[in-house]
């Protein structure tokens, strides 16, 4: 057992198309989910169409376990959810994916194992299946078009689980090889720009100059320049001044 | 123009398979997105494979506009994002879907139009395309398997946008036709249960009785019973008592 969160088991109930099982495997592995359980797959197992559709996301497929019925598939699990759009008939607790994954992460931290049931492509889960779950997960899509295919439903719930584990820092991903400019570098560039503008009589009105300078600075600040870009812009200023020198009197 | 948030335009750059365009239309309409723009689709337009794969999600397909190049496709937009996994080469601002959709909703509230570029299936966007965007959206999937197909990328970003517009109340979806039991109903049931248990000598130790009662109450509270279920349980108690009456002395 590792200290990594295990996530949840994806339990496909009587899936019909191997292609969909493969797409589910992709969606699972995109989200770091490894544990695939399949109840009574229509076309047997292993399934070449599933392997083809997995596009290399083989960990869930390779780990897949096959069960004759739902009871066997969930026997060792402690908390079972059912993914379904059909909520009217049942009095289950109905939660969003975001809510469910917070529960799953909290339970995972206490060593509790969880699984989510996904029904067959055409019919979805039957009420007797849903009754085996402690809560129903409903993905709140556009009421005018709620139909999601199997892999899409797994992807949305899986991604909710995966992204809930990422730190807030991920909002800004690292900027690769580039280094943000220091304030000194930025100011050096900006001073050089202003110097050039003054020499070029850019500031017609002394009264408006502070405002114009602020606008200019804001514009460049917003771009969050890298060191390299500051150097490039210094070169741009130099080049423009050289060009102007040529243009107006033919000398550098 | 309606007061509804418009969301963002989905801009498919040189998509290859009509099937993928159809799956994108599905994903868009699942998330209430209407505006599909297609740059130079390989197989022309309209495309029967796209219509077939849309499975009835025809609003984006019917609204689709075709453009010869990216510049034309984004000409009237004010903010453009690029969806890409390729972040190392570029110094763009890189944000998560969740961050981008918050920006899009904030901008939308100020009447600013936004679009997101999605690249061709095999190659993704080229650096020159990405350079047209003010920020890059990177979907943070499992580093061991980051590959998402076109419709999956649209679905994850679209769902982030859609679900950001739902109120927190959606965490618990309405429970259909059922009505949660009032406290009075619940207490009536629980008192009846305790009465039966006392008569059945359930509480062997007076010292432990308060603890046992608390455990029992907690168990039933957690189930969040409906009025109907409370009545059903009252019936269960009555039935068990009747059964006991029969069992021990043959009379009711």
């Amino acid at each position: 057992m590792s200290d990594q969160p295990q996530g949840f088991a994806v339990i496909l109930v009587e899936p019909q198309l191997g292609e969909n099982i493969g797409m589910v495997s992709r969606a699972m592995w995109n989200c770091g989910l490894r544990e695939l359980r399949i109840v009574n797959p229509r076309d047997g197992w292993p399934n070449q169409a599933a392997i083809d559709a997995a596009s290399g996301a083989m960990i869930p497929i390779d780990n897949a376990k096959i069960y004759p019925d739902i009871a066997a598939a969930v026997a060792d699990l402690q908390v079972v959810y059912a993914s379904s759009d059909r909520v009217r008939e049942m009095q289950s607790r109905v939660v969003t994916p975001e809510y469910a994954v917070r529960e799953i992460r909290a339970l995972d931290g206490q060593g509790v194992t969880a699984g989510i049931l996904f029904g067959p492509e055409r019919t979805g889960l039957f009420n007797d299946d849903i009754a085996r779950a402690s809560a129903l997960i409903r993905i709140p899509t556009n009421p005018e078009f709620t139909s999601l295919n199997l892999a899409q439903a797994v992807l949305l719930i899986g991604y909710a689980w995966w992204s809930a584990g990422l730190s807030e820092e991920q909002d800004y991903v690292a900027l690769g090889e580039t280094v943000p400019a220091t304030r000194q570098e930025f100011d050096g560039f900006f001073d050089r720009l202003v110097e050039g503008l003054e020499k070029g009589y850019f500031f017609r009105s002394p009264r408006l100059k502070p405002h114009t300078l602020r606008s200019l600075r804001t514009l460049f600040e917003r771009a969050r320049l890298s060191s390299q870009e500051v150097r490039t812009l210094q070169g741009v200023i130099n080049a423009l001044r050289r060009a102007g020198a040529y243009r107006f009197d033919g000398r550098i």
Side-chain angles (χ1 to χ4, degrees), chain A:
Chain A
M1 295 293 287
S2 96
D3 283 345
Q4 289 288 313
Q6 298 300 305
F8 54 88
V10 169
I11 306 155
L12 302 183
V13 179
E14 303 193 359
Q16 300 176 302
L17 296 171
E19 185 192 350
N20 287 332
I21 302 174
M23 291 295 289
V24 164
S25 185
R26 271 188 78 156
M28 287 178 66
W29 195 225
N30 278 142
C31 303
L33 294 166
R34 299 166 170 272
E35 195 175 348
L36 176 59
R37 302 180 179 200
I38 311 177
V39 175
N40 199 15
R42 189 191 64 184
D43 297 341
W45 196 258
N47 181 318
Q48 189 59 43
I51 294 169
D52 294 344
S55 302
M58 289 302 293
I59 304 268
I61 294 259
D62 288 343
N63 282 347
K65 294 202 182 71
I66 307 299
Y67 299 87
D69 52 39
I70 295 182
V74 302
D76 62 319
L77 298 177
Q78 290 163 289
V79 178
V80 176
Y81 301 82
S83 169
S84 177
D85 194 32
R86 211 194 299 174
V87 303
R88 266 160 306 188
E89 306 87 340
M90 313 290 303
Q91 204 246 0
S92 294
R93 194 161 65 103
V94 183
V95 298
T96 59
E98 292 67 33
Y99 194 95
V101 300
R102 282 198 300 273
E103 286 191 329
I104 289 171
R105 285 196 170 269
L107 294 167
D108 206 336
Q110 300 166 63
V112 175
T113 54
I116 303 180
L117 299 168
F118 294 86
E121 289 93 331
R122 294 212 186 162
T123 58
L125 292 167
F126 293 107
N127 287 350
D128 279 352
D129 306 333
I130 292 176
R132 294 184 168 274
S134 67
L136 202 149
I137 301 175
R138 183 172 163 275
I139 301 174
T141 48
N142 180 5
E144 295 184 44
F145 189 72
T146 58
S147 156
L148 287 167
N149 72 27
L150 197 49
Q152 287 174 318
V154 171
L155 181 68
L156 287 179
I157 299 173
Y159 180 74
W161 178 81
W162 170 261
S163 61
L166 302 174
S167 68
E168 280 290 318
E169 296 156 36
Q170 295 273 342
D171 254 6
Y172 286 92
V173 180
L175 295 172
E177 301 300 305
T178 64
V179 179
T182 64
R183 301 315 304 163
Q184 191 176 31
E185 287 172 329
F186 183 89
D187 289 345
F189 146 71
F190 198 73
D191 290 348
R192 182 106 177 93
L193 174 66
V194 173
E195 183 205 326
L197 294 176
E198 280 171 340
K199 289 204 175 157
Y201 302 102
F202 178 79
F203 303 104
R204 300 287 164 91
S205 153
R207 194 171 57 81
L208 289 179
K209 184 175 169 183
H211 174 76
T212 309
L213 278 178
R214 251 196 320 280
S215 301
L216 267 176
R217 175 176 276 275
T218 303
L219 183 163
F220 284 106
E221 292 282 11
R222 203 168 50 229
R224 301 187 207 181
L225 302 172
S226 70
S227 290
Q228 178 56 55
E229 287 168 334
V230 162
R231 287 193 293 277
T232 302
L233 287 175
Q234 297 264 25
V236 167
I237 294 169
N238 293 342
L240 292 175
R241 291 181 69 170
R242 277 200 306 276
Y246 274 121
R247 182 167 178 187
F248 291 119
D249 62 16
R251 294 181 297 119
I252 294 184

